[in-house]
Amino acid sequence: MLGSRRSRRRLTTALAGLGLFVTGAALQVTTTATPAHAATTHRILFDDGHAEEAGNADWIISTSKPDPLAQDSSPSSETDWTGALSSWGVALQKTGSYSLKTATSALTYGGSSTTDLSNFDTLVLPEPNTLFTTAEKTAIMTFVQNGGGLFMISDHTGADRNSDGEDAVEILNDLMTNNSVDSTDPFGFSIDTLDISSGYPAAISDSSNAVLNGAFGTVTKSLIADGTTATLKPADNANVKGLVYRSGYSGNTGAFFATSTFGSGRVAFWGDSSPIDDGTGQSGNTLYDGWNDTGATNAALALNATAWLAGDGSTGGGGGGGGGTCTAAQLLGNPGFESGNTTWTASSGVITSSTSEAARTGSYKAWLDGYGTAHTDTLSQSVTIPSGCSATLSFYLHVDTAETTTSTAYDKLTVTAGSTTLATYSNLNAASGYVLKSFDVSSLAGTTATIKFSGVEGSTLQTSFVIDDTALNVS
């Protein structure tokens, strides 16, 4: 109950033993059908079910759908497949490490269709021009949350190619802010309602980043030919990162290319469709060869990002990229607390089935603080993260408070992984429900680290920090 003082809990169970080293995979109670990352074949689905060919657009890898190999089973040049994205598709196909398909109907997750998202590692949305349905948005967001990669390519505001009143800016923002999975800025950015006529946005300097410095080359610049940018909000998702910026911009504004994570999945954003346009396609379309523009390195950016999203660790470190030999798994024991006081080390009464604060799923959750007196609660678990893995820590957090201030953090929850502080939340983060939090902890691969939540409450007015459905996914 909002603002209610917590009653003292009886000591009904002993504290759990010291942190358990978890080396096997435990089932995560909140996920199903995690996309498996194949050892050598990365499965990429390009969407063509949302007017991606409307107007002058031709955002397809081939006119042969769903399988481009039916047009040419061994393409060697961009014209062997027909479509303005054929260069992208052919370049991936020639590596021998990618399986490509095109979706022409509604996007689903967990269904029986051959183009169901559960059959793929990455979904590419190349400037969609019709809104996703409620069911589609649930499918897309669940796919990413469970480990899939999402590549969102926008265009400038007003680029309504099929004249239905919606452009890619509105459609992709709607996906992020109006879905049943998490509408609280899950990726940590919003797409700007801008029409930037031209420019060559520059890449940041980060030699370890897998997207900027990967197997397909080094990224230095991209291209804007009527496009937009994104505003980053790291307070909502600490893993959001701008990689390419419009001239004169940096930090949280003017990001032309950005990456982030959600749950155990990865996300990439690009502010214009011109960079992926190879200038060749179906007759009657007005196309521009941004793919081969000599003033930019768009091909390297598109291909490295595809590899990173699909979990290909061969593209180098950074951005969560891990080794290609990692076995996908969820490593935390008792992740939803349904086994009670096991696996976790917790202060008395923290792991509880009390109905005063509702669990997100099941009956149990971890409830830190909430007494309205000076108090400290902790919750921790040690876990061994295999070498060569990318790793993502996620959990759902509900903050309930009786504090009325809008400016002072009286009560705080600190989240750490090993010696790194991932985030600090306070009474200022109070909300009516649970919010998903996600952090890239790939830097801890090859170590045993303690995941710890520490809640410190002041002397008056309660703040409750309630945690449920934790996960530490590796891939």
Side-chain angles (χ1 to χ4, degrees):
M1 182 181 297
L2 180 63
S4 64
R5 179 168 176 167
R6 182 180 193 178
S7 61
R8 290 286 179 178
R9 292 159 284 177
R10 292 184 295 115
L11 302 181
T12 55
T13 56
L15 293 181
L18 291 176
L20 176 66
F21 293 155
V22 182
T23 56
L27 292 177
Q28 182 182 3
V29 297
T30 59
T31 63
T32 58
T34 300
H37 294 288
T40 58
T41 303
H42 303 293
R43 304 161 300 172
I44 315 298
L45 181 66
F46 287 81
D47 182 49
D48 187 33
H50 297 85
E52 280 89 352
E53 297 178 68
N56 282 320
D58 195 37
W59 312 140
I60 57 173
I61 56 174
S62 169
T63 51
S64 176
K65 310 163 194 174
D67 189 358
L69 296 179
Q71 182 174 13
D72 190 319
S73 61
S74 184
S76 59
S77 68
E78 65 181 44
T79 55
D80 290 336
W81 289 353
T82 304
L85 308 188
S86 61
S87 289
W88 190 352
V90 169
L92 292 174
Q93 182 64 35
K94 287 169 66 176
T95 69
S97 298
Y98 291 83
S99 172
L100 312 177
K101 295 290 188 294
T102 300
T104 58
S105 57
L107 296 169
T108 60
Y109 181 67
S112 58
S113 168
T114 56
T115 56
D116 185 83
L117 290 174
S118 63
N119 298 320
F120 295 90
D121 301 300
T122 299
L123 169 65
V124 180
L125 302 177
E127 196 195 336
N129 258 261
T130 59
L131 286 166
F132 298 103
T133 66
T134 298
E136 286 181 310
K137 288 186 285 188
T138 298
I140 294 169
M141 297 298 291
T142 304
F143 166 70
V144 181
Q145 185 180 47
N146 288 354
L150 177 63
F151 205 151
M152 300 192 299
I153 299 165
S154 184
D155 205 76
H156 62 89
T157 189
D160 180 9
R161 298 179 185 272
N162 60 341
S163 301
D164 69 344
E166 305 290 346
D167 57 39
V169 173
E170 296 166 318
I171 292 163
L172 294 175
N173 277 333
D174 178 71
L175 169 64
M176 295 186 287
T177 61
N178 184 26
N179 67 81
S180 64
V181 178
D182 188 338
S183 293
T184 59
D185 192 24
F187 305 154
F189 66 85
S190 60
I191 303 172
D192 302 324
T193 54
L194 296 175
D195 183 353
I196 305 164
S197 61
S198 62
Y200 284 95
I204 65 171
S205 178
D206 187 349
S207 61
S208 67
N209 188 274
V211 176
L212 299 180
N213 299 274
F216 294 98
T218 299
V219 176
T220 57
K221 289 186 178 181
S222 188
L223 162 77
I224 296 180
D226 286 316
T228 189
T229 54
T231 297
L232 310 186
K233 303 172 185 178
D236 295 337
N237 187 325
N239 292 328
V240 69
K241 184 178 180 67
L243 301 186
V244 179
Y245 283 86
R246 180 185 177 190
S247 179
Y249 291 80
S250 62
N252 295 335
T253 59
F256 185 59
F257 196 103
T259 58
S260 189
T261 63
F262 176 62
S264 54
R266 300 172 175 180
V267 179
F269 160 79
W270 210 339
D272 195 358
S273 55
S274 294
I276 57 170
D277 184 347
D278 65 19
T280 68
Q282 299 175 85
S283 177
N285 292 319
T286 302
L287 302 172
Y288 172 76
D289 190 2
W291 185 266
N292 297 301
D293 190 298
T294 57
T297 48
N298 294 316
L301 183 53
L303 297 169
N304 285 343
T306 307
W308 177 76
L309 288 168
D312 185 356
S314 65
T315 56
T325 60
C326 183
T327 300
Q330 196 291 108
L331 301 182
L332 289 178
N334 192 18
F337 308 106
E338 295 306 307
S339 297
N341 260 314
T342 64
T343 308
W344 295 91
T345 297
S347 299
S348 175
V350 163
I351 298 176
T352 177
S353 60
S354 167
T355 58
S356 297
E357 287 283 358
R360 178 178 178 271
T361 59
S363 300
Y364 282 81
K365 68 278 176 180
W367 181 359
L368 290 81
D369 297 329
Y371 291 96
T373 59
H375 187 82
T376 298
D377 276 330
T378 60
L379 172 75
S380 65
Q381 182 178 150
S382 292
V383 59
T384 299
I385 304 174
S387 298
C389 287
S390 61
T392 301
L393 172 69
S394 63
F395 56 91
Y396 283 85
L397 174 65
H398 169 51
V399 181
D400 176 305
T401 188
E403 301 283 1
T404 58
T405 178
T406 59
S407 59
T408 305
Y410 290 114
D411 313 307
K412 297 180 180 180
L413 175 74
T414 302
V415 185
T416 57
S419 60
T420 301
T421 298
L422 301 177
T424 299
Y425 305 101
S426 74
N427 48 282
L428 300 177
N429 299 111
S432 59
Y434 282 90
V435 178
L436 178 64
K437 306 297 182 181
S438 179
F439 302 91
D440 185 347
V441 292
S442 302
S443 61
L444 299 176
T447 70
T448 297
T450 298
I451 307 301
K452 186 175 183 179
F453 302 86
S454 301
V456 178
E457 191 173 19
S459 59
T460 60
L461 298 179
Q462 74 85 25
T463 298
S464 297
F465 300 101
V466 191
I467 297 164
D468 205 356
D469 298 329
T470 67
L472 203 164
N473 287 290
V474 297
S475 61

